[in-house]
Amino acid sequence: MDMETVKNTAISSLHKAGNLLCPLYEAGVAIEKKGAVDLVTEADKAAEAAVIETISRVFPHHGILAEESGAHSENAPFRWVIDPLDGTTNFAHGLPLFCTSIAFQAHGETLLGAVLNPITRELFLAEKGKGATRNGKAIGVSQTADLEESLLVTGFPYNRREVLDELMAKVKRCLGKAQGLRRLGSAALDLCYLASGRFDGFWEQNLKSWDTAAGVLIAREAGGTITDFQGGPYTPGDPTMLATNGPIHKEMMHLLATAHAE
Ligand code: IPD
Ligand code: CA
Ligand code: CA
């Protein structure tokens, strides 16, 4: 596989999506509901169509898994996993915290991850075995070993109303220990910010593979540790994910495991 062409295709797809998203963000878009708290806008759909068209023109036989239109050529050995707009709720409320996330996989293994926030113009990129970058400069996770000095981030899944007590128990446990806790609303950016050393730890449950496929490679290539809540291997799409800088991983695992709904 010509990884240079894969990389350039991912980057040009991200810019096409960004060029569509920015004016729609400024103008405001109509919102539809996919579920009680799960939104979709014309921006999600337009950005996804632009990304798929760009990739398919270069790689017509590759598989695609995209949030809004699902799977195409599912059994193809090479596959692109696309979240056209991660942070739709932020986008819909005029909060400039959203991105497009694209991962390229060969036989299920992610070889390239690329994420662009078109508002801040930060482009995060990682190629398997080659480290991670932000706008071309190498990035790495933080060295913080003390949870009391750690800035954590989490997210709340779309089924949050059914698991509210369980979610809040984890928030309570971690908030009681850490220096701070944020909820930004874009899992892909959460992982890229962990990769940049801005956050020291991130946990969330029920994320989909398009939310994390690119960000997980970026965070791992930046030196991050990513497992499920129990410390087992994490593959995008698994039900729980704990991503940290490494030194605080065990303690966070313990906090999450001992958080019980009251
Ligand atoms: C959502 C965001 C959010 C996370 C949700 C995701 P979307 O993706 O990543 O941070 O908490 O679980 O579904 O719907 O904005 O693409
Ligand atoms: Ca998403
Ligand atoms: Ca999305």
Side-chain angles (χ1 to χ4, degrees):
M1 180 50 54
D2 171 7
M3 285 306 291
E4 208 49 33
T5 307
V6 166
K7 183 167 84 185
N8 291 336
T9 305
I11 294 172
S12 73
S13 304
L14 286 178
H15 286 301
K16 286 207 176 129
N19 291 343
L20 276 166
L21 290 175
C22 285
L24 289 171
Y25 172 74
E26 293 301 333
V29 288
I31 301 166
E32 289 167 43
K33 281 192 170 181
K34 289 200 269 190
V37 288
D38 192 357
L39 311 180
V40 63
T41 69
E42 62 184 276
D44 301 68
K45 294 175 190 166
E48 181 162 307
V51 169
I52 293 178
E53 196 206 283
T54 308
I55 292 170
S56 304
R57 210 179 297 142
V58 185
F59 298 110
H61 305 299
H62 287 188
I64 301 252
L65 173 66
E67 180 176 6
E68 308 306 336
S69 56
H72 316 249
S73 310
E74 217 173 343
N75 297 323
F78 300 111
R79 180 170 89 148
W80 296 76
V81 182
I82 302 158
D83 191 338
L85 172 49
D86 186 53
T88 298
T89 307
N90 288 345
F91 183 94
H93 286 263
L95 203 60
L97 277 168
F98 57 85
C99 63
T100 301
S101 170
I102 299 177
F104 171 75
Q105 299 179 329
H107 307 283
E109 186 186 13
T110 306
L111 298 186
L112 183 114
V115 171
L116 175 71
N117 177 338
I119 302 288
T120 60
R121 298 195 183 157
E122 285 190 310
L123 172 68
F124 299 89
L125 195 69
E127 209 181 310
K128 176 111 188 148
K130 295 195 173 171
T133 58
R134 182 180 64 240
N135 293 345
K137 290 202 179 115
I139 50 172
V141 293
S142 70
Q143 305 291 312
T144 316
D146 189 344
L147 205 50
E148 302 204 347
E149 286 169 14
S150 295
L151 184 58
L152 307 180
V153 66
T154 188
F156 305 127
Y158 284 118
N159 69 338
R160 72 187 71 130
R161 291 178 180 172
E162 288 99 73
V163 291
L164 208 50
D165 290 343
E166 183 198 326
L167 292 178
M168 287 306 109
K170 291 184 171 59
V171 165
K172 191 173 171 187
R173 221 54 187 107
C174 293
L175 190 57
K177 263 276 177 169
Q179 189 167 74
L181 174 64
R182 303 286 181 262
R183 193 291 193 243
L184 297 191
S186 163
L189 287 180
D190 293 333
L191 284 162
C192 292
Y193 290 3
L194 174 82
S196 304
R198 294 170 179 170
F199 290 131
D200 307 294
F202 169 39
W203 83 94
E204 187 161 346
Q205 59 198 60
N206 289 349
L207 287 167
K208 308 293 183 215
S209 49
W210 48 77
D211 297 314
T212 64
V216 159
L217 182 69
I218 292 166
R220 284 195 172 127
E221 286 295 323
T225 301
I226 298 152
T227 67
D228 63 18
F229 282 177
Q230 281 75 42
Y234 172 79
T235 302
D238 285 352
T240 67
M241 185 191 71
L242 171 62
T244 74
N245 63 351
I248 65 164
H249 205 83
K250 261 200 171 153
E251 198 178 347
M252 277 206 68
M253 247 168 63
H254 175 71
L255 285 182
L256 296 174
T258 52
H260 299 299
E262 281 161 15

